[in-house]
Amino acid sequence: VRYLKIIVYLNDVSADGGPFQYLPDTVSRALLRAGRSKSLDDVRIATLGKTDMESCEGPAGTVIFVDTARLYHRGRRPEHERFTLFFSYASRHPSRPDLCAAVHFRSGFAHLTAPLTQRQRDSLDWPR
């Protein structure tokens, strides 16, 4: 696993509730081999056909573990409120740091990191 994301549904999530969706490993690998960007917008995903997209629906308390660096994925747009918790974990020395950019902490979070050890602070702010 290169980038582990854990998703916890806090309410029931059905097809119209904005479930986590992904393209299976074989489809994702084929797109990567074809030189496709790691991001797919809704228009591109729609052209792939609904049969390619796997949808993770479930009751409150559902937990999803996924390596988001390996699979094309998205959160489907919810038609009503959806409440989720996201936990993201990456190596201190990821092979693709560009895929981890969204989780970097900056100096504005110094008050949150003050009680942490130096190693923990370094892990939160590794790209500096």
Side-chain angles (χ1 to χ4, degrees):
V1 173
R2 292 178 281 166
Y3 192 87
L4 175 66
K5 185 171 281 190
I6 302 170
I7 304 164
V8 181
Y9 291 159
L10 300 179
N11 61 302
D12 295 349
V13 177
S14 59
D16 64 348
F20 174 79
Q21 295 183 316
Y22 66 95
L23 292 173
D25 187 54
T26 53
V27 176
S28 291
R29 276 191 278 162
L31 288 169
L32 285 171
R33 278 194 302 271
R36 297 284 183 200
S37 164
K38 219 17 208 157
S39 357
L40 293 174
D41 60 25
D42 287 344
V43 173
R44 174 70 180 129
I45 287 174
T47 65
L48 295 171
K50 292 185 179 187
T51 57
D52 287 329
M53 194 63 91
E54 298 286 338
S55 191
C56 298
E57 301 166 17
T62 295
V63 180
I64 300 161
F65 293 83
V66 62
D67 177 0
T68 55
R70 193 186 75 193
L71 300 173
Y72 284 90
H73 62 281
R74 70 174 183 176
R76 184 173 175 208
R77 291 186 182 167
E79 296 176 23
H80 50 80
E81 287 186 317
R82 172 194 65 201
F83 297 98
T84 56
L85 290 175
F86 290 91
F87 300 93
S88 299
Y89 300 91
S91 166
R92 262 183 95 186
H93 306 286
S95 57
R96 294 284 312 274
D98 55 305
L99 299 175
C100 305
V103 297
H104 295 170
F105 287 89
R106 294 290 165 232
S107 60
F109 291 94
H111 64 286
L112 296 174
T113 61
L116 301 177
T117 67
Q118 185 60 48
R119 179 174 168 76
Q120 290 169 324
R121 284 193 298 273
D122 289 345
S123 293
L124 289 172
D125 198 26
W126 58 261
R128 65 185 149 112

